[in-house]
Amino acid sequence: QVQLVESGGGLVQPGGSLRLSCTASGSIFSIYTMRWYRQVPGKQRELVAAVSSAGSIHYAGSVEGRFTISRDNDKNTVYLKMNSLEPEDTAVYYCNFLVATTSTSTADNYWGQGTQVTVSP
């Protein structure tokens, strides 16, 4: 009912920048929270950044000062601007939205398909 499509990943050199985007479509009444996660093989998926509908923002300590999360509510889109990328940032990045599909429904989590970010010389 709700689909999230993300893009913007790729190969970048250390110190470089990328901007990820994630756009939701389908039956959407309200998107409460937009989040970015990342996962590397053999490790648990971790929260990278989050922004609420009220504007509250959270960053993981490892990306604070380098990454910026923002949202465009008119486009149902969240962005993750990544600067000063390091090899340790290499991962598959997933967007996650907490979405209410109607005015009376509870909110559920929806996931994007993932986009690969590789930081390497």
Side-chain angles (χ1 to χ4, degrees), residues 4 6 20-23 31-38 45-53 56-60 68-71 76-80 92-99 107-115:
L4 274 59
E6 54 186 286
L20 308 182
S21 64
C22 177
T23 299
I31 304 176
Y32 294 109
T33 309
M34 297 176 170
R35 304 180 182 93
W36 286 99
Y37 289 79
R38 66 186 181 187
R45 188 171 299 184
E46 66 171 341
L47 178 65
V48 175
V51 56
S52 74
S53 57
S56 298
I57 292 176
H58 165 83
Y59 295 105
T68 302
I69 188 170
S70 61
R71 61 190 289 167
N76 291 328
T77 296
V78 66
Y79 304 95
L80 186 67
V92 177
Y93 284 71
Y94 299 90
C95 56
N96 170 275
F97 289 6
L98 183 62
V99 180
D108 293 314
N109 283 298
Y110 296 88
W111 292 90
Q113 82 280 8
T115 184

Side-chain angles (χ1 to χ4, degrees), residues 6-12 17-20 36 38-40 67 80 82 85-93 114-120:
E6 54 186 286
S7 63
L11 175 65
V12 65
S17 298
L18 287 172
R19 189 180 74 157
L20 308 182
W36 286 99
R38 66 186 181 187
Q39 188 169 30
V40 299
F67 291 10
L80 186 67
M82 304 183 293
L85 283 163
E86 305 167 353
E88 293 75 19
D89 297 315
T90 296
V92 177
Y93 284 71
T115 184
Q116 175 70 233
V117 172
T118 302
V119 185
S120 175

